[in-house]
Amino acid sequence: MAITDHVDLPTFMEGVRKRNPGQPEFCQAVQEVSEDIFDFIEDKEAYHSQQILRRIAEPDRIISFRVCWEDDAGNIRVQRGWRVQNNNAIGPYKGGIRFHPSVTESVLKFLAFEQTFKNALTGLPMGGGKGGANFNPKGKSDREVMRFCQSFMTELYRHVGADVDVPAGDIGVGAREIGYMFGQYKRITNQFTGVLTGKGLEYGGSLIRPEATGYGATYFLQNMLATRGRDLTGLNAVISGSGNVATHAAEKVTQLGGKVLTLSDSAGFIHDPDGIDLEKIDWVKHHKTHTRGRISDYVAQYPRASFTAGKTPWGVPCDVALPCATQNELLGDDARALVANGCFAVSEGANMPTDLAGVHVFKDARILFAPGKAANAGGVAVSGLEMSQNSERRSWKEAELQQLLLDIMAGIHESCLRYGRVSDDYVDYVKGANIAGFKKVADAMLAYGVV
Ligand SMILES: NC(=O)C1=CN([C@@H]2O[C@H](COP(=O)(O)OP(=O)(O)OC[C@H]3O[C@@H](n4cnc5c(N)ncnc54)[C@H](O)[C@@H]3O)[C@@H](O)[C@H]2O)C=CC1
Ligand SMILES: O=C(O)CCC(=O)C(=O)O
């Protein structure tokens, strides 16, 4: 037996931490997955001898580059960009691009690692990747954002391609940024290919891609509720974030009969006791994507609401919660507060919004808890469908795409039941998602031998 075979979880994690110093988010994501995978592979010799988990937790490659751009005042600004290509065992690397000052290699490595399992869960042929830059689009003019995106793509273009690596949006990267990056790719390469998803409908984008992540997270919640004979009618929902995922989750929860009480941004949260209805959600969408204002401005528009600065919304009593902002925004104490206030279902729209302590609180309380890699997979799934449409040079109809999204989310829910059922009355969705995603990637890797 090789010395690295059959190490226990603490020893494995010690190695991960040693090889990835100063990368807490990445180590956290690996730990969360490994807690389940160690049990699953206990009696599966090939996964041990071929070091599959260790190989998935070591990105295929990390590309890092300087991004220089000129601001409106003529100053030269220097940022760092990355693309983490984690694993392409089951398809081209696929995953979003994040522009936010908090972006580090650790954050992008955790996101690319998570993306590998998430993409496998969709059933579509996509590997896992993620990219971004420590650039803050907030407060920048359109021209500044354009120059940054063009400079970013001028480096990235040589590492991506429709059959190689297909980036998309994430925090700070929406339709505007994708447009600027696609335009630059096309200009440099003289090729019109499906190198990015989340494109505008005029140039190869897919219907329902903007809605898909938030809608998908709500469909997953609906699937979980159905296992307990419930639906969203009359339920109070607490949602964090106010960007793409949060506003579309709020929209779908409302359409399905729930009442959304909160939204947030990095400055604090708003609580509207009357409910954030579809008209108010449209106002938030416009305010965030066009005015590019803060969520606190909601209170001037809808004075019965209150704004709490510097806090997250998890203390507001609710039946269901959808964290849709960012990683580690819901900690152990927040999870305890949610459970104590009667929350019985959580569907993660964001990536790893709940920290490990919070995950353990939800699992111990045996509430319905869907991890991001399962619940928010609707976005990348419709990105996969955008890739198919681009390859066919066709655009599919909305009804067909809506049905495919529903089917894919139901399929992911089924996979979680299959691998996560602990007893007649409890499904560990974290375990189900981790094992189902791992198995698909791992089996492909076994087929390739040592590469
Ligand atoms: N856009 C997509 O299709 C997908 C996004 N996700 C994840 O969903 C989450 C949200 O992404 P998007 O809505 O696309 O981004 P976005 O840029 O449209 O919105 C991000 C929201 O999070 C808030 N936010 C950022 N940092 C925060 C902090 N430290 N504390 C509180 N709020 C904060 C922002 O104010 C904003 O409201 C991220 O975790 C992302 O990785 C996951 C799957 C797909
Ligand atoms: O649509 C995509 O490729 C990216 C989606 C994404 O970044 C995510 O699922 O976290």
Side-chain angles (χ1 to χ4, degrees):
M1 190 166 80
I3 49 164
T4 44
D5 280 357
H6 294 272
V7 295
D8 60 10
L9 178 60
T11 313
F12 177 79
M13 282 311 305
E14 197 184 309
V16 171
R17 278 189 285 272
K18 219 179 257 171
R19 287 190 296 279
N20 301 280
Q23 303 201 337
E25 296 87 358
F26 177 65
C27 295
Q28 179 185 337
V30 175
Q31 163 117 24
E32 192 231 67
V33 168
S34 305
E35 283 180 4
D36 293 318
I37 298 306
F38 262 71
D39 279 350
F40 175 67
I41 64 176
E42 173 71 27
D43 57 350
K44 298 177 180 64
E45 184 52 36
Y47 296 148
H48 289 282
S49 61
Q50 298 303 305
Q51 297 283 325
I52 297 295
L53 184 56
R54 177 158 174 195
R55 282 158 64 188
I56 297 179
E58 192 67 45
D60 288 356
R61 69 189 62 76
I62 300 172
I63 300 135
S64 122
F65 45 91
R66 185 184 65 234
V67 187
C68 278
W69 59 285
E70 194 176 337
D71 68 19
D72 287 345
N75 302 307
I76 302 305
R77 311 280 285 263
V78 184
Q79 246 80 46
R80 187 171 298 171
W82 290 267
R83 186 74 182 162
V84 178
Q85 297 179 333
N86 194 68
N87 187 294
N88 68 351
I90 64 166
Y93 304 106
K94 180 86 194 87
I97 290 179
R98 179 177 291 191
F99 291 162
H100 195 269
S102 66
V103 164
T104 61
E105 195 171 298
S106 169
V107 167
L108 296 177
K109 277 173 70 178
F110 113 66
L111 289 162
F113 178 76
E114 288 282 291
Q115 197 82 45
T116 302
F117 301 94
K118 182 194 310 190
N119 293 2
L121 284 168
T122 65
L124 300 172
M126 301 181 289
K130 199 87 183 191
N134 58 355
F135 168 71
N136 188 359
K138 228 175 256 163
K140 304 289 188 301
S141 70
D142 268 359
R143 290 276 144 182
E144 289 177 324
V145 171
M146 180 185 78
R147 287 194 290 274
F148 179 81
C149 289
Q150 289 177 340
S151 185
F152 184 84
M153 186 48 91
T154 302
E155 273 305 317
L156 186 67
Y157 88 95
R158 62 190 100 236
H159 306 290
V160 295
D163 294 315
V164 179
D165 183 352
V166 183
D170 189 74
I171 292 179
V173 177
R176 174 181 64 169
E177 291 75 16
I178 293 289
Y180 291 146
M181 285 192 275
F182 187 77
Q184 183 72 351
Y185 182 87
K186 189 171 69 59
R187 175 189 189 192
I188 296 173
T189 62
N190 197 28
Q191 284 179 15
F192 196 110
T193 64
V195 66
L196 294 170
T197 60
K199 300 185 292 296
L201 293 177
E202 306 77 14
Y203 58 95
S206 175
L207 286 165
I208 84 160
R209 175 62 189 87
E211 296 88 351
T213 309
Y215 281 19
T218 312
Y219 294 149
F220 199 92
L221 175 61
Q222 217 184 6
N223 284 317
M224 290 199 299
L225 292 173
T227 65
R228 296 197 179 171
R230 305 284 301 261
D231 64 28
L232 273 162
T233 313
L235 297 189
N236 285 325
V238 159
I239 298 182
S240 64
S242 47
N244 172 277
V245 180
T247 52
H248 289 105
E251 188 168 283
K252 188 48 75 180
V253 167
T254 307
Q255 286 170 357
L256 293 174
K259 182 170 163 183
V260 177
L261 298 176
T262 66
L263 288 171
S264 72
D265 63 18
S266 52
F269 74 91
I270 54 118
H271 177 196
D272 186 338
D274 297 335
I276 306 170
D277 62 19
L278 294 177
E279 190 196 309
K280 294 172 181 173
I281 294 166
D282 280 347
W283 181 87
V284 174
K285 280 186 189 169
H286 189 269
H287 189 63
K288 289 302 254 188
T289 51
H290 295 283
T291 318
R292 297 191 185 272
R294 308 298 309 192
I295 196 65
S296 53
D297 302 333
Y298 182 96
V299 178
Q301 191 72 14
Y302 302 105
R304 277 179 49 78
S306 57
F307 175 70
T308 306
K311 292 266 191 301
T312 49
W314 313 122
V316 175
C318 63
D319 304 299
V320 300
L322 292 105
C324 296
T326 193
Q327 66 272 4
N328 291 331
E329 54 160 323
L330 198 167
L331 311 178
D333 283 345
D334 302 317
R336 274 183 281 278
L338 281 166
V339 172
N341 284 333
C343 173
F344 65 94
V346 176
S347 182
E348 292 188 334
N351 285 306
M352 206 170 75
T354 311
D355 76 348
L356 264 175
V359 170
H360 291 148
V361 170
F362 290 146
K363 282 192 183 198
D364 291 347
R366 300 207 154 203
I367 67 161
L368 298 165
F369 171 58
K373 63 171 75 67
N376 73 34
V380 75
V382 175
S383 275
L385 302 178
E386 182 172 330
M387 289 167 72
S388 301
Q389 293 171 76
N390 291 167
S391 299
E392 277 188 11
R393 293 184 156 73
R394 288 184 55 218
S395 296
W396 300 347
K397 299 228 174 341
E398 180 171 345
E400 185 180 358
L401 288 157
Q402 293 280 14
Q403 191 55 50
L404 283 166
L405 175 60
L406 277 164
D407 292 348
I408 289 170
M409 296 316 295
I412 297 172
H413 185 259
E414 276 302 310
S415 298
C416 290
L417 295 188
R418 178 164 178 208
Y419 291 103
R421 185 166 287 290
V422 172
S423 63
D424 279 352
D425 60 354
Y426 180 59
V427 176
D428 180 342
Y429 285 90
V430 180
K431 179 179 174 183
N434 283 337
I435 295 177
F438 171 83
K439 189 171 180 321
K440 178 159 181 185
V441 176
D443 289 346
M445 290 171 72
L446 287 180
Y448 300 142
V450 181
V451 289

